Amino acid sequence: MTRYEQLAAQIRQQIEDNIWQVGDRLPSLRESVKQSGLSLMTVVQSYQLLESQGWIIARPQSGYYVAKSKTSFAAAKGGKGSHLSENVEINASIFGVLQACNDPDIIPFGSAFPESALLNEPKLAKSLASVARRITQQSAVANLPPGNEKLRRNIAQRYAMQGIHVSPDEIVITAGAMESLSFSLQSVTEPGDWVVIESPAFYGCLQAIERLKLKAVAIKTDPIFGLDLDALEDVVKNYPIKACWLMTHYQNPLGGTMPIRNKKRLVDILNHRQIVLIEDDVYGELYFGNQQPVAAKSLDTLNNFFHCSSFSKCLAPGFRVGWVAAGRHATKIQHLQMMSTVSASVPTQLAIAEYLSQGGYDNHLKKLRMTLEQRQHRLLSAIAQYMPDSVKVNTPKGGYFLWLEFEPPFNAVRLYQLALTQGISIAPGSMFSTSDQFNHAFRLNCSFTWSAQLEEAMKILGRLCHQLLNEKRD
Ligand SMILES: Cc1ncc(COP(=O)(O)O)c(C=O)c1O
């Protein structure tokens, strides 16, 4: 390491340790020369390095300040070749991106949540208040796994309306979909087992695999049609795959939806080898138009698949209420839950059960879908206006993400860092893979009310993309 890199590493460490906080002015160049005994040139180089990495920003005539978010994004490690991911290691790189979205001063294009105002349902707040008045000590016991019966019946009724037969006894209420997905995976695997995942995949899937010490084969996923089934057929012949975790609708991050004929083929391939499907369907209710696409779980004749979802994306992210329709694995899921979180939160389970039983959820969803579709169009037109012409972007038929790509070697991690210094977050493609295949891409959340601030943020993002593309050419 050169001297200026050493000094930069020292300052970076101080920022990480909160010695210098966001917005603090760093020692001036002159002060730093005095303290470190290094030359002015060396100090300038180290400050410039930190600036280029997004840690600090220069304010003319004022000095260097710690940037809005002090988090840096390390590219995910661990991928071997384009498909195989032994030893998945992704956790560390994701936290920084997620933390940046929590800062209220940052435009949260990188966020995974819809705009909170969209989920403001006064009736739900009333249900929670009324439940809080009535709740007793006995309620905790009465709502232990599999969870509140009324809520499970209501969810089973919603499945029935889609033509999917799921008994309330097969449903387990969990603390959000992340818990239901993790328990599902844990219930059918042992450390060292192989699973199939999408490429790119929701980072929560990569984190769960890392935590459970599994090995993953990541299969190319199409931005329109979903998982590549020819590749899946090859993989299941060559690896002892235990489970396949994927999203059939509005895949995160790409936005694609698997057509019904592909779902049928997927189910055939998996059933042929008794491989379990873990279907992550958290965005399933957010379809545009009149027709909800039907889950692969509807084709589960062996009652062997998991269908996982939650109220986090449509109604109440902070309530942490989700579920899994676990078929014949339901008892195992309950055991796992009892051994870890014991049960989902009782007041929030009861509040959602009461809210659902009053009616009105479908109206809320209808409005939500229409708003999200309009907002997607708005962001698409800003992309057309401000992004370089070479940008590639699809138009998902639901959800609230847009996936943007430039030709490699466009560096979306660098875009993320530069954008953060301007108060804008994005979700760089590297969050969604253990390989570096998606470093040229990023995800934007299009659920926010359009405003002059958002317009300005898109202008800045467009300018930064132009800048990065020009750097590449030089
Ligand atoms: C694809 C996907 N699955 C699961 C989850 C987790 O959902 P929950 O907040 O209900 O745990 C998320 C949240 O971002 C997600 O995007």
Side-chain angles (χ1 to χ4, degrees), residues 386-400:
Y386 299 120
M387 284 287 163
D389 290 343
S390 56
V391 70
K392 288 189 194 138
V393 54
N394 295 305
T395 311
K397 305 271 187 309
Y400 49 87

Side-chain angles (χ1 to χ4, degrees), residues 112-113 175-179 181 202-203 247 252 280 282-283 309-313 317 320-322 401 443:
F113 292 105
M178 196 57 231
E179 190 176 83
L181 289 157
F202 164 51
Y203 46 76
M247 299 187 65
N252 181 6
D280 176 355
V282 287
Y283 302 102
S309 191
S310 74
F311 296 98
S312 306
K313 310 294 177 179
R320 307 301 307 144
V321 177
F401 295 132
R443 189 195 73 185

